[in-house]
Amino acid sequence: MRPAIIFGTRPEIIKLSPVIRAFLNKGIQPMLIHTGQHYDYEMSQVFLEELELPEIDYHLEVGSGTQAEQTGFAMIKIEKVLINEKPDVSIVQGDTNTVLAGALASVKLLIPVAHVEAGLRSHDRTMPEEINRILADHASEVLFAPTLEAKENLEREGIRRNVYVVGNTIVDAVLQNSEIAEKKSKILSELNLSPKEYILVTAHRKENVDNRDRLTKLVDILTSLPLTTVYPVHPRAEKKLKEFGLWKRLEKAEHIILTKPLGYLDFLKLEKNAKIIMTDSGGIQEEAIILGIPCLTLRYNTERPETVKAGGNILVGVEEELALMYVRKLLEDEKFYQKMASARNPFGDGKAGERIVNILLALWEEGKLKVPSSNFIS
Ligand code: UD1
Ligand code: UDP
C-alpha cells in the first residue's frame, strides 16, 4: 500500500507523528505532503525535527491567506501531487483548512480519504474548523473516531460505514514524548519557573483573537491572574494583540511571561508541571486531561465535551468573573483541585496510531479501500 499523509499545521504534525511511526514500523514509507499552512520554524520545522520525522516529500508552500485562498491554493497544489503520485489512500488529521483541501482534492480523484480524529463537533458553524470537520468527514471513506461520542456524531449525520473508534493519537504522542521532554527540556530553569507554581496559557482561536472585544476580555483575565502565568504566543494572536494595542498590557504585567511558540518537548514539560492550564486550543484540552492538569477552556463550546463530562475541563469563555472564580477555587480548594486533576482520560491508551495503520492495511488487503461506485442499471 502507498499511503499519502497530508498535513500543514503544528497540531497535525504532532498528532500524525504516531501514524507515521506506525507505518515505518511496518516497513512502509508513507509519502509526506506538507501544505505549508504553518511555515515559521517554531510552528513547523521544530516539530519535524523533535519528532524525528522522515524527510518531507512535497513542500507545497501554500502559506497564509483568507479561508478560500488558503483552502483553494492547497487544493490546487495537492491535486497536482496526487495526479502524479497516485497514492492508494490519503490520510488527513483534524479540522484545518489543509484537511479540507486534502480531503476534497483526494476524493475527487477517487483516492479514498482516511480521516483521523473524525466525528468531532462543536455544533458552532461560525468556526471555520466546524465546517472543515463536517465536510472532511463526509468526503472520507474511512473514519477514525477518537471516542464513542465522536462515532455517535457521525451516526447522527448518516455516516456509518468504515467508522472505527481508535482513541486519539495525541495520547500516543504524549506517551512517546513525555519522558524525552522530562530529560531534554530545560524550559523550567530557562524561564525561572518552579513546578506547580504557574498557570500555562495559550489562546489563538480566530473567534477569540480576531475579535477586539473578546481579545480585550481575554487580556483582562490574564492580567488579573493571581499566579505567575506563562503564555507562548501563537503568531495569529501576536499579530492581533499588537494590532488592537493590547500587547503592551501583557508585557507590562509582572506576573506574565510571554514567549514565542515553543517546541513540543518544552511545551509538554510546561504542561506537565503547570498548576492549571487555560487554553482555547483543541489539542491542549486533550493533553491537559491526559496529563492530569485541571483545564479551564477559554471558549463557550468545545468539540471535546468528553473532557468536560469526565470532570477535567471547565468552559469559562472569556468571562473574567467566572474564570477567576475557578482559578481561585483551584488554588484554594485542594479537594476540588484533586477532583479535576484525577479526571479519567477519555482518549484511549496510546495505541491509536498502530490501530489506524492495522485497519488501513487490513482494508487494503481485503480490497475494500476504495471510493465505492453504485454501478447499477435501473
Ligand atoms: C490553524 C487552524 C486552527 C488550528 C491552528 C493550529 C484553520 C482554519 N485553522 O489556525 O484550527 O487550531 O491552525 O495552530 O485551518 N502565521 C504566521 N506563521 C505561521 C503560521 C501562521 O505568522 O507559520 C500567522 C499569519 O498571520 C496567518 C495567521 O497566523 O495569517 C493564521 O494562520 P492560519 O494557518 O491561517 O490559521 P491558524 O490561526 O494558525
Ligand atoms: N504546542 C506546542 N507549542 C506551543 C503551543 C502548543 O508544541 O507553544 C502543541 C501542544 O502541545 C498541542 C498542539 O501544539 O499538541 C496544539 O496545537 P494548537 O493549539 O496550535 O492547535 P489546536 O489543537 O487548537 O488545533
Side-chain angles (χ1 to χ4, degrees):
M1 184 174 74
R2 285 186 73 232
I5 302 191
I6 305 170
F7 54 91
T9 67
R10 167 167 81 184
E12 292 163 79
I13 300 172
I14 293 169
K15 288 178 167 179
L16 282 168
S17 66
V19 178
I20 297 171
R21 279 189 197 187
F23 271 120
L24 295 176
N25 288 341
K26 298 264 181 201
I28 296 170
Q29 189 93 34
M31 183 195 315
L32 302 185
I33 304 175
H34 189 322
T35 61
Q37 178 172 342
H38 284 175
Y39 43 85
D40 290 346
Y41 174 83
E42 59 267 20
M43 294 300 288
S44 170
Q45 185 62 27
V46 64
F47 302 105
L48 301 174
E49 289 169 13
E50 285 186 343
L51 298 169
E52 297 178 4
L53 297 181
E55 282 293 300
I56 300 295
D57 296 286
Y58 292 94
H59 280 283
L60 304 185
E61 297 179 1
V62 168
S64 306
T66 65
Q67 295 294 313
E69 278 167 358
Q70 199 171 51
T71 313
F73 284 146
M75 271 186 80
I76 292 165
K77 292 187 167 187
I78 291 168
E79 184 183 58
K80 286 204 173 96
V81 175
L82 297 178
I83 287 171
N84 280 334
E85 292 283 357
K86 300 184 180 56
D88 297 311
V89 59
S90 287
I91 301 169
V92 293
Q93 191 285 333
D95 54 18
T96 66
N97 288 343
T98 290
V99 171
L100 178 58
L104 284 183
S106 300
V107 71
K108 290 197 169 204
L109 292 170
L110 306 189
I111 297 166
V113 177
H115 189 198
V116 177
E117 204 179 69
L120 272 62
R121 296 291 182 269
S122 66
H123 306 288
D124 177 357
R125 288 172 72 98
T126 66
M127 295 175 71
E129 292 87 353
E130 183 75 353
I131 307 300
N132 293 343
R133 285 177 202 121
I134 294 169
L135 299 181
D137 282 339
H138 284 263
S140 293
E141 200 33 50
V142 189
L143 298 102
F144 294 112
T147 63
L148 203 57
E149 284 87 337
K151 181 179 183 225
E152 287 165 359
N153 285 336
L154 294 170
E155 273 170 13
R156 273 192 285 276
E157 292 174 19
I159 303 176
R160 295 191 174 83
R161 229 167 56 85
N162 286 341
V163 178
Y164 300 91
V165 177
V166 292
N168 196 310
T169 57
I170 193 67
V171 185
D172 313 27
V174 168
L175 297 182
Q176 286 167 12
N177 294 289
S178 196
E179 260 179 52
I180 307 173
E182 207 47 65
K183 283 193 198 122
K184 283 200 182 164
S185 169
K186 307 270 177 288
I187 193 74
L188 293 189
S189 54
E190 277 166 26
L191 299 181
N192 203 12
L193 294 167
S194 306
K196 302 295 162 193
E197 286 183 9
Y198 62 90
I199 298 172
L200 177 61
V201 172
T202 80
H204 72 278
R205 288 283 168 174
K206 192 172 187 302
E207 64 269 25
N208 272 338
V209 305
D210 284 14
N211 176 312
R212 185 191 289 268
D213 279 355
R214 285 275 279 266
L215 195 54
T216 306
K217 284 182 165 187
L218 189 78
V219 169
D220 290 342
I221 294 175
L222 301 190
T223 49
S224 306
L225 290 173
L227 201 64
T228 301
T229 297
V230 186
Y231 179 8
V233 190
H234 186 288
R236 176 193 281 276
E238 178 172 348
K239 197 167 124 192
K240 290 294 173 182
L241 283 162
K242 289 183 174 161
E243 188 181 317
F244 297 147
L246 295 163
W247 182 259
K248 287 221 163 69
R249 279 187 63 198
L250 292 179
E251 268 188 336
K252 271 193 209 143
E254 278 180 9
H255 67 287
I256 297 181
I257 302 171
L258 298 173
T259 75
K260 282 193 156 301
L262 297 171
Y264 195 47
L265 300 181
D266 281 344
F267 195 78
L268 254 185
K269 177 111 179 195
L270 276 185
E271 284 183 303
K272 286 174 77 174
N273 289 286
K275 182 78 179 173
I276 302 169
I277 291 177
M278 298 178 81
T279 190
D280 62 9
S281 156
I284 297 169
Q285 288 174 65
E286 293 159 351
E287 286 169 340
I289 200 165
I290 295 164
L291 295 167
I293 313 296
C295 182
L296 300 178
T297 291
L298 301 159
R299 289 176 46 189
Y300 293 85
N301 58 52
T302 178
E303 57 293 316
R304 276 97 175 161
E306 300 90 342
T307 57
V308 177
K309 222 184 286 166
N313 186 13
I314 297 172
L315 302 181
V316 295
V318 286
E319 302 301 318
E320 184 173 348
E321 222 174 286
L322 191 67
L324 293 181
M325 189 272 280
Y326 277 118
V327 168
R328 279 194 292 268
K329 199 164 159 64
L330 282 166
L331 296 179
E332 288 159 14
D333 182 344
E334 186 56 22
K335 217 166 139 197
F336 179 71
Y337 186 92
Q338 284 311 329
K339 201 160 169 236
M340 278 193 83
S342 57
R344 197 187 64 85
N345 157 33
F347 297 116
D349 57 2
K351 296 193 174 124
E354 221 176 290
R355 272 186 208 108
I356 287 168
V357 167
N358 286 338
I359 291 166
L360 287 175
L361 286 173
L363 287 171
W364 167 250
E365 275 155 24
E366 291 161 21
K368 290 184 184 155
L369 196 55
K370 52 183 169 211
V371 178
S373 148
S374 67
N375 236 357
F376 69 89
I377 301 168
S378 61

